[in-house]
Structure formats: C-alpha cells, structure tokens
Amino acid sequence: MFGRRPDGRRIRGIDPIVQITPYVMPMRCDAQVFLKHQVDLEKMGGYIRRQLAEKSERFSHMNVIVAAYVRAVSQNPEINRFIMNKQFFSRNNCSVALTILKDPGDADVGETVVKFRFDPTDTIYDVRDRMESLVAANRGDQPKNFLDKLAAGLFKVPGLPTLVVSVVRLLDRYGICPRALIDELPFHVGMYITNTASIGLHDVNHHIYNFGNVSMFFSMGMAERVAVVENGQARMKRFLPIGVVVDERVCSGAHYARFFNDMRHYLERPELLEQPPQSVRYDPGCEYHEPKPDKQ
C-alpha cells in the first residue's frame, strides 16, 4: 500500500510500452513466455569433478544453476521485479523456491517446498551452503516448514482453504499481507525451480502462478545426448535441458536477453562464481542484503 509492500517497493519511470502490458495482460498466465536452454554438461560436470578432486568441495547441478541465477540477478535488477495490481515493484530480496522430495529414496513420502534467500554478493560456495542447510532441515516424512503445517491444518475444516486463500490473495493484491506470511510462502520469490529429473521426467515448461508474484520458473530435466558439430567433426554430446517460463511483462525483451546471456556465461564458466561480483546493480532505493551463511 502507498507504494510499499513487505517484499518490494513500487518503481516508476518504466518504459510506457512495458508499463501498459499489465493492462493488456492482467494475469501472469496471459503473459507466459516459454523457452528452453541446454546446459553443456561436459563443462559443468568437469567443474564439479575438479572441485571435488582438488578442493573436496561438493556441488550439485542445481547449486551451479542457482548460483548463476543469483549472479545474473546481481547485474540485472530489472529481472527481479514483479507486478501486482497492475503496478511494478522491485523485489527487496533475491529469493528462490525449490520443490524437493521429503525422502529422495521414496517418492510416496511426498514433497515439500523450500524457500531460499540469497545476497547478491554470494559466491557459489555461499549459495551451496544456504541450499544444503535448508534442504537438510526439511527432509523427513513429518511436516517441517510453515507451508506443510498450514496445508495440513487447512484441510481439516471444510471450506476453510477457499476462505484463507481468498483472504490472502486480497491482502496481497493491496500490499497489506503480513510480512511473516509472505516470508514463508513459496509463491513470493524471483524464481521457482524444480528438478523433474529426480523423479524420472524430462524437462517441462511449468506454468507460473497467478497466486503470489513468481516471475520465473525453471525445470531441470533428464540429461540428453545431442548430435553436435565441433571443429568440423560430428559427435554426441551431453546436455542438461532446462524448461524456462517467464512473465514477459516484468521488463523489456532486451533486459531478458541480457539476463539469459549472463546466465549462459556463468553456466559455461562456473569458476567465475567462486568470487563475489565486482559490483552489484540495484533499482534506485531498493538495495538489500542477506547475512552470509555460517561456515560449515
């Protein structure tokens, strides 16, 4: 309300062509753009193996992708915006939500969602530490986080889920949803990511939600072998496919292109993520920070 929300601040001076898009496409599902990216697994896998062999540092493909996202956001704040009630807001955090299996060895135990907050200066080590700590805390077959407990409680009373979701949606629309609730809900993040390969599926173009303000969804699929031509020779090469869905209203296509070019650059050279960025770009008046994770 009045230009401020618990998770962001209203920004003005938007290009008129971009600014009118929420009026033409009022819902996020109206404005979904579908993309597909293939990550070179030879480069990423080689980096992960070298880190383990030379430094005893363990990384997953997910760690590298999220670290590349955090670094690209640090240079492209336009991507970290969202639209609510047809108004543009700059997010006051760099956040990612991740769907995980409560028990990686038993899909019947169910899933849960974990929400991470990152600092724009985070290195790949910081990103890995934040993710591993929170994922470990949410494993197990009992409700661990707020969303699990909320969902379990709502369905005990007929009609209560509809009422609660409607009230939260209304409060969120006008920027008066409590900060404590927004901080816990996984639908208020810059990017939602899921690893569909962990359940034996190829990459998908997953929808982004009208509820909340998620502006980007990444879906990692099973590794693929693709024929390529290098140095005049044809060969098979392994790639990690990622289905990407974005809200095209958030910023111009040029800003999106710059963001994805940065991500591609860091995914092909993960060693650049070992050091903090030389500088960070923020929207005017929207600087934010997150305490560094404890060293393990």
Side-chain angles (χ1 to χ4, degrees), residues 76-142:
N76 300 276
E78 299 85 1
I79 298 299
N80 204 24
R81 297 172 180 172
F82 63 90
I83 295 167
M84 185 62 67
N85 201 21
K86 299 184 178 67
Q87 304 302 317
F88 287 77
F89 291 84
S90 181
R91 205 178 302 275
N92 59 17
N93 58 76
C94 180
S95 51
V96 174
L98 166 64
T99 299
I100 64 171
L101 290 172
K102 292 183 180 180
D103 182 352
D106 185 2
D108 291 334
V109 174
E111 299 176 338
T112 189
V113 180
V114 182
K115 183 175 179 178
F116 309 95
R117 283 176 175 267
F118 302 99
D119 189 87
T121 64
D122 276 352
T123 66
I124 192 171
Y125 303 108
D126 297 325
V127 170
R128 185 268 318 272
D129 291 345
R130 293 186 195 274
M131 294 182 69
E132 287 189 349
S133 175
L134 207 51
V135 168
N138 283 273
R139 294 288 194 196
D141 59 355
Q142 296 300 316

Side-chain angles (χ1 to χ4, degrees), residues 46-267:
Y47 174 78
I48 291 173
R49 289 190 295 272
R50 287 194 302 274
Q51 282 285 310
L52 181 59
E54 299 172 5
K55 300 181 181 180
S56 298
E57 297 281 2
R58 295 181 180 274
F59 292 98
S60 67
H61 296 140
M62 179 82 74
N63 294 152
V64 180
I65 292 170
V66 174
Y69 167 80
V70 173
R71 183 60 52 87
V73 166
S74 78
Q75 305 305 307
N76 300 276
E78 299 85 1
I79 298 299
N80 204 24
R81 297 172 180 172
F82 63 90
I83 295 167
M84 185 62 67
N85 201 21
K86 299 184 178 67
Q87 304 302 317
F88 287 77
F89 291 84
S90 181
R91 205 178 302 275
N92 59 17
N93 58 76
C94 180
S95 51
V96 174
L98 166 64
T99 299
I100 64 171
L101 290 172
K102 292 183 180 180
D103 182 352
D106 185 2
D108 291 334
V109 174
E111 299 176 338
T112 189
V113 180
V114 182
K115 183 175 179 178
F116 309 95
R117 283 176 175 267
F118 302 99
D119 189 87
T121 64
D122 276 352
T123 66
I124 192 171
Y125 303 108
D126 297 325
V127 170
R128 185 268 318 272
D129 291 345
R130 293 186 195 274
M131 294 182 69
E132 287 189 349
S133 175
L134 207 51
V135 168
N138 283 273
R139 294 288 194 196
D141 59 355
Q142 296 300 316
K144 299 286 185 177
N145 58 39
F146 173 82
L147 185 63
D148 288 342
K149 295 174 182 177
L150 176 64
L154 286 180
F155 289 101
K156 293 181 179 179
V157 180
L160 187 58
T162 299
L163 175 62
V164 170
V165 171
S166 298
V167 170
V168 172
R169 190 189 296 271
L170 179 64
L171 296 176
D172 195 26
R173 177 181 176 88
Y174 294 103
I176 54 177
C177 191
R179 176 186 294 273
L181 184 58
I182 285 181
D183 286 346
E184 294 290 344
L185 291 175
F187 306 103
H188 297 77
V189 293
M191 178 179 74
Y192 201 120
I193 187 169
T194 186
N195 181 10
T196 52
S198 67
I199 54 175
L201 291 178
H202 293 288
D203 63 301
V204 299
N205 285 110
H206 194 291
H207 63 87
I208 45 180
Y209 304 96
N210 284 325
F211 184 89
N213 55 39
V214 178
S215 302
M216 187 177 301
F217 205 115
F218 277 34
S219 171
M220 300 165 51
M222 298 177 65
E224 298 176 344
R225 292 176 62 83
V226 180
V228 299
V229 177
E230 294 181 344
N231 301 320
Q233 299 293 321
R235 71 182 184 95
M236 301 301 291
K237 191 171 184 179
R238 294 178 73 243
F239 289 92
L240 176 67
I242 303 178
V244 181
V245 180
V246 302
D247 181 348
E248 73 158 311
R249 306 171 302 169
V250 167
C251 59
S252 70
H255 285 119
Y256 268 124
R258 190 169 64 189
F259 167 79
F260 282 114
N261 283 334
D262 284 350
M263 274 208 71
R264 183 183 300 110
H265 177 72
Y266 292 118
L267 289 173

